[in-house]
Amino acid sequence: MKTIYLFIALCMTTISQAQLKPVSYNDGNQKLNGFAAIPSKPNSNNPGILILPAWKGINNHSKEVAQKLSGMGYHSFIADIYGEGNYPTNTNEAAQQSGYYKTNYKEYQKRITLALEQLIKSGADANNIVVIGYCFGGTGALEAARGNLNVRGVVSFHGGLGKDTTRENNTINTKVLVLHGADDPYVSQSDIQSFQQEMNSSNADWQMVYYSDAVHAFTEKEAGNDNSKGAAYNEKADKRSWEHFLLFLKEVLK
């Protein structure tokens, strides 16, 4: 009997993995390697979710999210921001790579736009897309809003909120949801205040939800559970943020 259950589990794992298809695309001469998750039973109106991974690039968590969304009928695509040959192997390299795109935000927006094109090619309606991001990817989701990319909403999970103060605050037309750990040491109160002022001055339709006892990376199981390190998984915040995210999707997507 155990053998039968193991066989079924392996089959289900294979099916789940088969939903995730590697996709190569380009930014000029730079090769990018993303992943598409195409639902076997798409929702009506073919909604799409673009996933922007954390600072080390595409990881198991972003793949799990893509597969989970695919199972719910959403076309999903995981963006490759750094490109082949530039993937970080440690936190120092991740800080350097992500820092480059935070500073050169137009290049970040371009890489997001290229990934959106791949999501549309995979079957998503170009006018029915939400961008979500984790950590560094959460910053990217906000950049998609700041750049007024053609998306119906953006969601930042424990993302950086700061922006160069010399940048102008332009009108933001897409809806914004920020899911934030109340004890996140990497996002200062001044960044939070500046972000909220930016949203208000940009006439954005925005929401910000705080989760108690949650620090940075609260959705990432690989971060461990030691809050003193500043980044740690929090099961309650993970589940609550997912439910807030799903509620947001019901509101903004067709």
Side-chain angles (χ1 to χ4, degrees):
M1 185 63 70
K2 290 183 178 179
T3 302
I4 293 175
Y5 286 142
L6 179 59
F7 175 76
I8 292 173
L10 288 172
C11 287
M12 292 303 294
T13 300
T14 301
I15 291 171
S16 178
Q17 290 175 343
Q19 293 176 346
L20 206 58
K21 299 181 179 179
V23 177
S24 294
Y25 58 114
N26 295 282
D27 181 0
N29 294 325
Q30 177 62 63
K31 183 181 178 182
L32 304 169
N33 299 296
F35 288 90
I38 302 173
S40 57
K41 295 182 179 180
N43 293 326
S44 60
N45 299 318
N46 292 312
I49 312 293
L50 179 65
I51 302 165
L52 306 179
W55 70 338
K56 287 188 177 180
I58 297 174
N59 58 6
N60 290 332
H61 178 246
S62 56
K63 292 179 181 179
E64 290 170 359
V65 169
Q67 291 174 319
K68 189 173 182 178
L69 290 170
S70 174
M72 298 169 65
Y74 296 101
H75 291 270
S76 303
F77 189 83
I78 311 173
D80 177 9
I81 300 302
Y82 300 138
E84 190 168 291
N86 301 309
Y87 304 130
T89 59
N90 54 54
T91 55
N92 288 335
E93 292 179 0
Q96 182 177 6
Q97 289 280 18
S98 61
Y100 173 82
Y101 285 96
K102 288 177 182 178
T103 301
N104 298 278
Y105 64 91
K106 289 187 177 180
E107 291 190 39
Y108 201 176
Q109 292 172 352
K110 182 182 179 182
R111 290 283 167 93
I112 296 169
T113 300
L114 292 172
L116 283 170
E117 292 174 357
Q118 295 303 315
L119 174 60
I120 295 165
K121 287 181 180 179
S122 75
D125 183 336
N127 298 309
N128 201 28
I129 291 173
V130 163
V131 176
I132 71 173
Y134 296 86
C135 299
F136 166 59
T139 303
L142 295 179
E143 285 301 338
R146 289 166 177 149
N148 275 316
L149 305 189
N150 184 32
V151 297
R152 299 184 66 84
V154 302
V155 183
S156 169
F157 290 83
H158 44 79
L161 306 179
K163 187 188 74 169
D164 188 339
T165 56
T166 63
R167 290 173 62 181
E168 294 183 3
N169 293 334
N170 300 314
T171 299
I172 290 178
N173 298 315
T174 191
K175 295 184 178 182
V176 177
L177 173 62
V178 171
L179 305 171
H180 182 68
D183 298 332
D184 190 333
Y186 298 112
V187 181
S188 67
Q189 286 302 312
S190 62
D191 279 348
I192 292 173
Q193 291 174 0
S194 295
F195 167 75
Q196 294 179 351
Q197 290 171 359
E198 174 195 358
M199 292 296 104
N200 290 331
S201 65
S202 299
N203 295 317
D205 181 348
W206 66 281
Q207 305 171 63
M208 186 168 180
V209 183
Y210 292 80
Y211 302 105
S212 64
D213 196 36
V215 293
H216 198 64
F218 59 77
T219 65
E220 305 277 348
K221 293 181 180 179
E222 296 177 357
N225 57 10
D226 184 355
N227 277 16
S228 68
K229 294 181 178 180
Y233 178 68
N234 183 300
E235 182 179 9
K236 187 180 291 185
D238 183 19
K239 291 180 177 179
R240 287 177 172 176
S241 63
W242 184 259
E243 291 302 318
H244 285 130
F245 163 53
L246 294 183
L247 183 63
F248 183 75
L249 292 184
K250 290 180 180 178
E251 177 186 338
V252 305
L253 292 176
K254 298 177 185 177

